Amino acid sequence: STLFCCLFRLLTLKPSTEEVRALVENTDSPFIRAVGFLYIRYAFPPQEVWRWFRDYIFDGERFQPLLARTAPETTIGEWIEGLLSEDKYCSTVLPRLPAPLMR
């Protein structure tokens, strides 16, 4: 998918902290924000993931993460919560988060 191509590109470029912040605070598109959050989830140490996600967990911006017509609409906050609580995203395994961190 296009999202995973963008994610792969980010993983190879290794953006700076300021560049990642610009992605997750982008106001042009929720999809730009989504690739930023996925990058954080895949590339950052588990201890830093919550530090990055906590400010956005109640974000109410609505979007449809999967472009299929039948895919449900959700908020960025709910989608981030899924990234924290699920083991997989779109059939790809997410890095494991330690149990103490999940409490």
Side-chain angles (χ1 to χ4, degrees), residues 3 22-37 59 61-65 67 76 79:
L3 178 68
L23 286 172
V24 299
E25 292 180 353
N26 187 287
T27 57
D28 294 334
S29 169
F31 297 102
I32 295 171
R33 297 180 73 198
V35 77
F37 289 119
D59 192 311
E61 182 177 10
R62 299 199 70 73
F63 81 119
Q64 192 172 4
L67 293 178
I76 289 286
W79 185 77

Side-chain angles (χ1 to χ4, degrees), residues 1 21 25 56 89 93:
S1 79
R21 178 135 345 255
E25 292 180 353
Y56 303 98
Y89 180 74
V93 177

Side-chain angles (χ1 to χ4, degrees), residues 47-87:
Q47 298 80 2
E48 290 187 38
V49 171
W50 174 248
R51 186 176 60 82
W52 276 84
F53 282 9
R54 69 179 172 211
D55 295 334
Y56 303 98
I57 201 79
F58 296 110
D59 192 311
E61 182 177 10
R62 299 199 70 73
F63 81 119
Q64 192 172 4
L66 302 174
L67 293 178
R69 294 183 193 269
T70 58
E73 189 175 80
T74 188
T75 66
I76 289 286
E78 291 168 345
W79 185 77
I80 288 172
E81 190 176 334
L83 288 180
L84 291 171
S85 62
E86 301 294 325
D87 295 334

Side-chain angles (χ1 to χ4, degrees), residues 1-26 30-44 52 79:
S1 79
T2 305
L3 178 68
F4 280 98
C5 289
C6 292
L7 177 61
F8 177 75
R9 182 73 173 146
L10 283 174
L11 290 167
T12 59
L13 291 174
K14 297 183 171 121
S16 68
T17 302
E18 294 81 25
E19 292 168 327
V20 173
R21 178 135 345 255
L23 286 172
V24 299
E25 292 180 353
N26 187 287
F31 297 102
I32 295 171
R33 297 180 73 198
V35 77
F37 289 119
L38 270 177
Y39 176 78
I40 291 167
R41 185 65 174 85
Y42 276 100
F44 282 33
W52 276 84
W79 185 77

